[in-house]
Amino acid sequence: MLEVFKTTSSKVIAVLAILIVVVLQYRFWFGEGGHFPHQALLQQIEQQAEVNAELKERNRILAAEVYDLKNGAEAIEEHARLDLGLVKPHETFVQMKPMKMTTNLRQNNRKIWAIVPAAGSGRRFSKTELKQYQVIQNQTVLAHTIARLNDLPLAGYVLAVGEQDHYAQTLPLKNKHLSHFCLGGAERVDSVLNALRYLEQFAQADDLVFVHDAARPCVTQQCLENLVDTAINLNSSAILAIPVRDTLKFVENQQDINKTVSRDQLWQAQTPQISTFSKLKKAIETALANNIIITDEASALEYINEPVKVVMGRSDNIKITYPDDLELAKLILQSQQ
Ligand SMILES: *[C@@H]1O[C@H](CO)[C@@H](O)[C@H](O)[C@H]1NC(C)=O
Ligand SMILES: *[C@@H]1O[C@H](CO)[C@@H](O)[C@H](O)[C@H]1NC(C)=O
Ligand SMILES: *[C@@H]1O[C@H](CO)[C@@H](O)[C@H](O)[C@H]1NC(C)=O
């Protein structure tokens, strides 16, 4: 012990000094403006800053929406269509049940078949003349087409080929075990009918049948699925098609424009075209029996008043017809990979 703490008064002073130190320490750590309240305040400020940032982002989005609403007819149209269910004159509003195609097929116990008329039009077989035997990336156009169709869970596909065509059967085709070959006819429609008659031994009346051009190798899986979904959900025949975009002219005497034709309700038909086995067979047989000129399956269905829906296709689902088209198809297939 130090000398100074020996007297009573100095002990009292020492105790007082300790007390003062304790009180000051307490005020430093816990008092108003002390260490801990200061920390708590900093934390509060940080939280408020986060809330402010969120509010600022929300305001920015709202401002953008207000701008869109003020300026964009598209936003208004989207709101009218999607939220209010409004349609333009001559439009039909179709809401698709989001039923998965494969579930749907299984539930209904239906199969999908594909028919590919590949006989040309009655000419003698010439591998070089038939566009389906041109080669893109080491594969014939036909092989590309068959590969695309097999993006769907097919029960089988039938190729209707020319009598002298011994080449088709030698091609490496996707899911070759699902392939069938039958004889084509003089015209496309005859080939399709032959294929339907061939399918009779496997297909049920309610099974779905696709008909697709051999020379349309760029059709996408999404379009194929949309088509099947429409056929199943709307219980209807359907085809891929796109609205006509170009201005149309009615021409007389080879080159005299008579007038501009309204394109409002005009669509360009593509393939695939889908129907049920029994409807399609009946339609084609009836139309042929009445000497109706049939350029696609839908025209036969229309002839027997069977409803057919259009399903939005894509402009890159081209049919290879002219030499230029082959180059285009190469580019499209490349870009789709
Ligand atoms: C294309 O075929 C040739 C010969 O058959 C082969 O050498 C080449 O590797 C093939 N190319 C591709 C991309 O498959
Ligand atoms: C589908 O339509 C056909 C007539 O085209 C009708 O016979 C059949 O009962 C319909 N099926 C369903 C599930 O609505
Ligand atoms: C278009 O055809 C109609 C009917 O044939 C005719 O009356 C009209 O004069 C033609 N118009 C033109 C610009 O050729």
Side-chain angles (χ1 to χ4, degrees):
M1 263 295 182
L2 285 166
E3 284 292 301
V4 278
F5 292 122
K6 280 194 178 145
T7 63
T8 324
S9 59
S10 61
K11 276 182 190 161
V12 169
I13 288 167
V15 167
L16 275 176
I18 289 167
L19 270 177
I20 287 167
V21 168
V22 166
V23 167
L24 286 178
Q25 279 287 323
Y26 178 85
R27 290 202 54 167
F28 172 76
W29 289 105
F30 302 102
E32 204 181 328
H35 178 75
F36 288 114
H38 178 67
Q39 288 296 318
L41 205 59
L42 281 183
Q43 211 175 344
Q44 254 177 29
I45 289 170
E46 212 170 287
Q47 278 169 358
Q48 193 58 47
E50 267 171 40
V51 171
N52 285 350
E54 261 170 47
L55 286 174
K56 207 166 147 191
E57 173 65 9
R58 211 165 67 187
N59 280 344
R60 196 187 61 74
I61 292 168
L62 277 174
E65 270 175 9
V66 168
Y67 178 84
D68 267 355
L69 282 172
K70 274 191 186 156
N71 298 282
E74 269 171 39
I76 293 168
E77 183 174 341
E78 193 175 303
H79 176 64
R81 281 180 184 283
L82 297 182
D83 302 333
L84 306 177
L86 299 178
V87 294
K88 288 184 187 170
H90 308 303
E91 274 188 352
T92 312
F93 185 69
V94 176
Q95 194 160 29
M96 302 293 291
K97 281 182 253 163
M99 185 86 150
K100 279 286 285 183
M101 171 190 68
T102 39
T103 334
N104 222 322
L105 282 170
R106 235 178 287 121
Q107 272 177 9
N108 293 293
N109 204 17
R110 296 164 88 180
K111 292 191 171 115
I112 310 180
W113 303 90
I115 290 176
V116 178
S121 53
R123 278 174 273 113
R124 290 176 70 200
F125 175 69
S126 151
K127 206 170 95 174
T128 46
E129 254 179 64
L130 289 172
K131 297 294 177 276
Q132 70 219 36
Y133 294 132
Q134 305 290 310
V135 172
I136 298 178
Q137 290 167 8
N138 266 11
Q139 272 196 318
T140 58
V141 166
L142 183 62
H144 283 287
T145 302
I146 295 296
R148 288 291 164 104
L149 289 178
N150 275 282
D151 282 340
L152 290 174
L154 296 182
Y157 57 90
V158 186
L159 292 171
V161 297
E163 197 171 1
Q164 293 148 328
D165 183 349
H166 304 295
Y167 181 60
Q169 309 205 25
T170 67
L171 287 174
L173 299 174
K174 186 159 183 198
N175 292 344
K176 193 84 186 250
H177 62 287
L178 299 178
S179 68
H180 300 265
F181 294 85
C182 76
L183 208 54
E187 297 299 328
R188 174 199 162 88
V189 62
D190 303 307
S191 292
V192 173
L193 185 57
N194 280 359
L196 285 166
R197 289 185 172 150
Y198 170 90
L199 261 185
E200 201 145 37
Q201 53 188 319
F202 311 109
Q204 304 289 314
D206 258 358
D207 282 358
L208 294 166
V209 177
F210 262 110
V211 182
H212 188 54
D213 296 329
R216 276 194 205 266
C218 306
V219 66
T220 64
Q221 181 170 12
Q222 189 62 59
C223 282
L224 293 171
E225 286 181 359
N226 292 347
L227 191 62
V228 178
D229 280 335
T230 301
I232 296 175
N233 290 329
L234 301 183
N235 188 28
S236 172
S237 303
I239 71 171
L240 287 185
I242 52 173
V244 170
R245 293 189 209 163
D246 298 331
T247 300
L248 296 178
K249 301 296 184 190
F250 184 75
V251 174
E252 293 175 316
N253 314 319
Q254 310 275 345
Q255 62 175 32
D256 299 329
I257 295 176
N258 180 279
K259 63 177 172 186
T260 300
V261 180
S262 165
R263 66 193 162 188
D264 275 0
Q265 290 173 279
L266 296 182
W267 290 61
Q268 267 173 275
Q270 301 181 337
T271 74
Q273 307 201 342
I274 192 171
S275 188
T276 64
F277 176 80
S278 58
K279 282 179 195 166
L280 187 57
K281 187 157 170 288
K282 181 178 149 207
I284 291 178
E285 282 173 344
T286 310
L288 282 179
N290 290 285
N291 291 317
I292 302 300
I293 293 172
I294 297 164
T295 48
D296 65 351
E297 291 62 51
S299 50
L301 291 159
E302 292 151 23
Y303 178 69
I304 64 160
N305 289 322
E306 185 60 47
V308 184
K309 307 276 183 200
V310 288
V311 171
M312 184 64 81
R314 291 168 50 121
S315 54
D316 61 7
N317 181 18
I318 62 164
K319 182 175 180 177
I320 300 174
T321 313
Y322 304 106
D324 282 358
D325 301 334
L326 194 68
E327 293 306 313
L328 186 56
K330 274 181 198 169
L331 292 174
I332 294 169
L333 285 175
Q334 252 169 32
S335 75
Q336 285 175 347
Q337 272 168 4

